Amino acid sequence: MFSGSIPALVTPFCDGAFNEKHFRALIDWQIEQGSSALVPAGTTGEASTLSNAEHHRVIEVCIEQAAGRVPVIAGCGSNDTNNAILHLNFSKKSGAAAGLVVAPYYNRPNQEGIYAHFEHMTKKNDLPILLYNVPARTVTDIKPETVARLAKLPTVIGIKDASGDMPRVTDHRLACGPDFCLLSGVDEQSLAFNAAGGKGCISVTANVAPKLCAEFQAACASGDYDLARELNDKLYPLHLALFSDASPGPIKYALSRVIKGFPTELRLPMTPPSDVSCRQVDAALENAGLI
């Protein structure tokens, strides 16, 4: 269902509030530059700092502005199963194509608890679900055997895998079948991820380099790995620079360098990136030809 370059959109704030004007402009630019879908209210969108009302408004604005031009995969994760269902219900009603649902964080459920979390959601809502596995943030890890079990549920259609464990691409492909959507959640691993059978990336870097990321994903999809490596070489320093300090600080700084007036404001406990990080981002943007 999903493939290519899919930005995990930042949420712009001005004076502490969600700024719809900047967000709508970012969405239009992403679509014009070739992004194949959009993810609002995810990790990069600082979803953990949003109230439910703000969370839903971010999703609603994204769907309104995309206006059917590309699908919207709404961030619907929560460590509270019932709250995740609330997000799924709102996203379906608003017209999202799918929900991106992270493994339950903080609670630290075992594999049976993780399975039960997602299974319960599928019984309460039929919106397609993309699993999101990011153990570095959640502590919990959706093991490949659990992914294989979840793939049998009718509305679990794929996974954003940010485990960093490359053999899992093959594990998931063999266990879940050809129709299960495999998306990378780690930009710098996307080349290898796609070579192993992945179909794209839910990307931080695509926020600021949407055209390059779209071209890179298209090269991979066509099997032109010479071009893919060439584009990856331009993007690779940027992938690393955007995590040279706590994300999404560096990506918001990068956007301010590429889009005049784009707000860099973060919500606590996030703070601005260091001077060292900003210099690394500047150098990487220059390497990619973006400034």
Side-chain angles (χ1 to χ4, degrees):
M1 182 180 288
F2 304 109
S3 62
S5 178
I6 304 170
L9 296 169
V10 302
T11 302
F13 300 117
C14 291
D15 298 323
F18 168 46
N19 187 283
E20 294 188 14
K21 179 181 177 182
H22 285 291
F23 193 53
R24 290 180 185 275
L26 178 64
I27 288 164
D28 285 341
W29 185 56
Q30 288 292 331
I31 295 170
E32 291 162 5
Q33 294 288 301
S35 296
S36 58
L38 302 170
V39 175
T43 304
T44 309
E46 296 174 80
S48 58
T49 71
L50 301 174
S51 69
N52 276 354
E54 290 174 321
H55 190 126
H56 292 170
R57 185 56 183 159
V58 169
I59 291 169
E60 186 175 45
V61 169
C62 188
I63 292 168
E64 286 176 1
Q65 196 66 25
R69 291 176 289 172
V70 297
V72 173
I73 306 166
C76 292
S78 175
N79 67 323
D80 173 358
T81 305
N82 287 329
N83 204 51
I85 292 167
L86 181 73
H87 294 330
L88 283 172
N89 289 343
F90 180 85
S91 298
K92 181 182 179 181
K93 180 181 71 174
S94 300
L100 179 68
V101 184
V102 72
Y105 45 86
Y106 188 77
N107 311 64
R108 297 186 68 182
N110 59 21
Q111 293 301 299
E112 192 59 37
I114 292 171
Y115 179 83
H117 173 77
F118 286 104
E119 181 190 37
H120 187 65
M121 280 187 275
T122 67
K123 290 177 178 178
K124 296 294 183 179
N125 191 293
D126 63 359
L127 185 70
I129 289 174
L130 274 172
L131 309 173
Y132 177 20
N133 192 33
V134 55
R137 288 186 179 270
T138 64
V139 183
T140 53
D141 181 7
I142 314 176
K143 298 292 187 183
E145 55 270 25
T146 304
V147 174
R149 286 181 69 196
L150 289 167
K152 295 176 182 177
L153 298 172
T155 57
V156 176
I157 61 166
I159 187 169
K160 174 187 175 181
D161 186 5
S163 68
D165 185 1
M166 288 304 302
R168 290 193 184 191
V169 187
T170 302
D171 290 335
H172 296 155
R173 182 170 52 81
L174 294 177
C176 302
D179 295 328
F180 195 70
C181 182
L182 301 178
L183 299 173
S184 174
V186 182
D187 276 296
E188 65 267 26
Q189 293 184 348
S190 289
L191 183 64
F193 191 99
N194 287 343
K199 299 299 182 183
C201 182
I202 295 180
S203 166
V204 174
T205 304
N207 275 282
V208 72
K211 185 177 181 181
L212 279 175
C213 287
E215 290 173 347
F216 164 77
Q217 291 293 342
C220 290
S222 69
D224 188 349
Y225 276 92
D226 287 336
L227 177 58
R229 280 189 293 270
E230 179 183 330
L231 292 166
N232 189 64
D233 288 349
K234 294 180 72 173
L235 287 164
Y236 188 76
L238 187 55
H239 297 331
L240 301 183
L242 293 178
F243 285 87
S244 58
D245 209 333
S247 182
I251 185 59
K252 283 191 166 180
Y253 170 75
L255 278 163
S256 76
R257 297 285 284 119
V258 171
I259 301 173
K260 185 178 180 180
F262 194 90
T264 60
E265 186 174 324
L266 301 157
R267 278 195 173 167
L268 290 172
M270 308 311 294
T271 54
S274 68
D275 290 344
V276 171
S277 175
C278 291
R279 288 196 295 271
Q280 187 172 339
V281 170
D282 285 340
L285 289 172
E286 288 184 23
N287 181 77
L290 297 173
I291 59 172

